[in-house]
Amino acid sequence: MAPYESDDTTTAGATREPGAGRRRAARYVVPVTVMGVAAATIGLVPAIANSGDPDLPEITAAQLIEKMAESDTERLSGTVKITTDLGLPDLGGLESSLASGALDRGEGGSSADPSAKLTELASGTHTLRVAVDGPDRQKVSLLENAAEYSLIHNGKDVWGYDSASNEVYHGTVDESAEGEGREQQPPATPKDFAEEALKAVDATTSVTVDGTAQVAGRDAYKLVVKPKQSGSTVGAISIAVDHRTGTPLKFTLTPASGGAAVVDVGFTKVSFDRPAASTFDFTPPKGAKVTEEGALEDGKKGRELTGKPEGAPKSEEDLSKGLDGLKVLGEGWNSVATFDTGAEGGLPTGAEGGDLGGFLGSLGDQVKGEFGTGTVFSTRLVNALVTEDGKVYVGAVTKDALVKAANEAK
């Protein structure tokens, strides 16, 4: 359904006084500031069900976004299927070793550390069990072959448990962050992804309602978010929104290049009943290796990078200083983040880098411009340009858009 553009700035809900629902939304669902978007960026054509889809009352995109913002859903449980296809090169299993934290465990790390374990969601298809009971209790379980990894937030405690290795990770939530535990969890449900997507809604965005659908046995509206600008690698984002609760049930991001979705996250089963309190109870199993958060961080201190090419940052601290100088170029969907690594000479690609240079060169494309020369490393969604003078440009934009950004920044 094509979007209908309007200059009317008094969209539905603009004159309503903020109430308790909006205050809840600021913590749990979509920031209410989304409703401040000018109506010119929002399709006002109401949803019309296609043949065979649920026949729901008509609703505009502005009304549907407000419904999401006012949703007071604080409790749910269910099963989520997540598929991620970034189009990363096949590294012969190396990427899975990195994702599992295998290279870190020899240095005091833990296979139960969520920062390592949950990076597995960056590729392939996975099944999650999720449960939420307000801001202080959440549980996400990653189901694997004959094993399971669980991340549990219960009050001030955060537990990670890897049944395959019988290892446990334990951390705590600062008192200052109590009540904000929802933000401590990784993105695991359609709502998590939808919140981030709707932060991008501005004058460079088209938002429409494109019919209805049924997800996990529930009737839903389909909200479609698209960039208006050319140069973005994002084709469209579709969010299925439960018509009763306003909760996102499914999130799908398709690339501008076409083909399968880059990210597809959706409930296959869902209940809005309160999960049993015992769902969030956890006691380390007998014989399990328990790693405390502080001990894990201490084990990481003092590490030095080895095998660095000439001109590379001398330490992780030097690299972090470069990240402190991160800047954002452009606007909207064509935004490009840039920072200086301090690694003059860029990556050791080509003959100068030996075997490593040949390997890195095979993963990227050599480019030239007013900025000089560099290498572009591409996925189906995010591309990165590393220049010969050590600068990095990264964004959900095309290779040509990265080169243009680097030229303009020169």
Side-chain angles (χ1 to χ4, degrees), residues 340-395:
D340 191 343
T341 65
E344 295 183 4
L347 293 173
T349 57
E352 296 179 359
D355 292 340
L356 176 60
F359 174 68
L360 292 176
S362 68
L363 298 180
D365 296 325
Q366 302 301 303
V367 294
K368 295 182 179 180
E370 297 175 18
F371 66 88
T373 61
T375 306
V376 173
F377 298 91
S378 301
T379 71
R380 299 177 66 216
L381 184 64
V382 178
N383 295 324
L385 165 63
V386 182
T387 68
E388 62 182 354
D389 58 356
K391 292 184 176 61
V392 176
Y393 299 85
V394 60

Side-chain angles (χ1 to χ4, degrees), residues 31-65:
V32 179
T33 53
V34 169
M35 292 311 300
V37 177
T41 69
I42 298 180
L44 298 177
V45 180
I48 299 177
N50 296 321
S51 177
D53 289 333
D55 186 11
L56 300 177
E58 293 184 352
I59 192 170
T60 67
Q63 291 169 338
L64 185 53
I65 289 177

Side-chain angles (χ1 to χ4, degrees), residues 226-268:
K226 292 182 178 181
K228 289 183 178 180
Q229 302 163 298
S230 61
S232 174
T233 54
V234 177
I237 294 172
S238 176
I239 305 170
V241 183
D242 184 68
H243 91 287
R244 290 191 181 278
T245 66
T247 303
L249 300 175
K250 187 175 176 64
F251 173 97
T252 304
L253 188 157
T254 54
S257 58
V262 173
V263 179
D264 187 66
V265 185
F267 282 101
T268 57

Side-chain angles (χ1 to χ4, degrees), residues 1-272:
M1 183 176 295
Y4 172 78
E5 306 295 344
S6 168
D7 291 326
D8 180 12
T9 58
T10 58
T11 57
T15 60
R16 295 179 59 180
E17 292 295 326
R22 289 182 183 272
R23 289 192 293 272
R24 285 191 297 267
R27 293 179 61 190
Y28 304 121
V29 197
V30 183
V32 179
T33 53
V34 169
M35 292 311 300
V37 177
T41 69
I42 298 180
L44 298 177
V45 180
I48 299 177
N50 296 321
S51 177
D53 289 333
D55 186 11
L56 300 177
E58 293 184 352
I59 192 170
T60 67
Q63 291 169 338
L64 185 53
I65 289 177
E66 184 174 24
K67 186 179 185 70
M68 296 170 66
E70 293 185 335
S71 172
D72 59 359
T73 300
E74 298 181 21
R75 302 177 179 90
L76 62 80
S77 60
T79 303
V80 175
K81 180 180 179 181
I82 175 170
T83 298
T84 309
D85 181 9
L86 292 172
L88 296 172
D90 183 2
L91 301 181
L94 175 61
E95 70 276 16
S96 59
S97 296
L98 290 169
S100 65
L103 300 183
D104 266 347
R105 286 198 290 274
E107 300 181 31
S110 169
S111 67
D113 179 4
S115 64
K117 189 65 178 180
L118 292 175
T119 56
E120 293 181 14
L121 300 181
S123 64
T125 298
H126 304 274
T127 300
L128 307 174
R129 279 202 303 259
V130 301
V132 178
D133 184 9
D136 297 326
R137 284 178 290 278
Q138 301 93 33
K139 181 177 181 179
V140 178
S141 295
L142 171 60
L143 308 184
E144 303 170 315
N145 292 330
E148 180 175 317
Y149 174 79
S150 293
L151 180 61
I152 304 138
H153 169 223
N154 191 352
K156 294 181 180 180
D157 291 306
V158 177
W159 297 95
Y161 176 60
D162 182 8
S163 68
S165 62
N166 198 29
E167 292 191 26
V168 175
Y169 166 91
H170 178 240
T172 57
V173 179
D174 293 337
E175 290 186 12
S176 59
E178 192 173 3
E180 299 176 3
R182 192 71 188 89
E183 285 74 23
Q184 305 297 322
Q185 296 290 316
T189 69
K191 184 183 77 171
D192 299 325
F193 289 89
E195 287 177 351
E196 294 304 313
L198 289 178
K199 290 178 183 178
V201 174
D202 59 16
T204 67
T205 310
S206 165
V207 185
T208 60
V209 180
D210 187 21
T212 64
Q214 200 170 67
V215 179
R218 297 185 66 88
D219 295 343
Y221 295 105
K222 294 190 295 184
L223 186 72
V224 177
V225 180
K226 292 182 178 181
K228 289 183 178 180
Q229 302 163 298
S230 61
S232 174
T233 54
V234 177
I237 294 172
S238 176
I239 305 170
V241 183
D242 184 68
H243 91 287
R244 290 191 181 278
T245 66
T247 303
L249 300 175
K250 187 175 176 64
F251 173 97
T252 304
L253 188 157
T254 54
S257 58
V262 173
V263 179
D264 187 66
V265 185
F267 282 101
T268 57
K269 295 181 181 179
V270 65
S271 169
F272 293 98

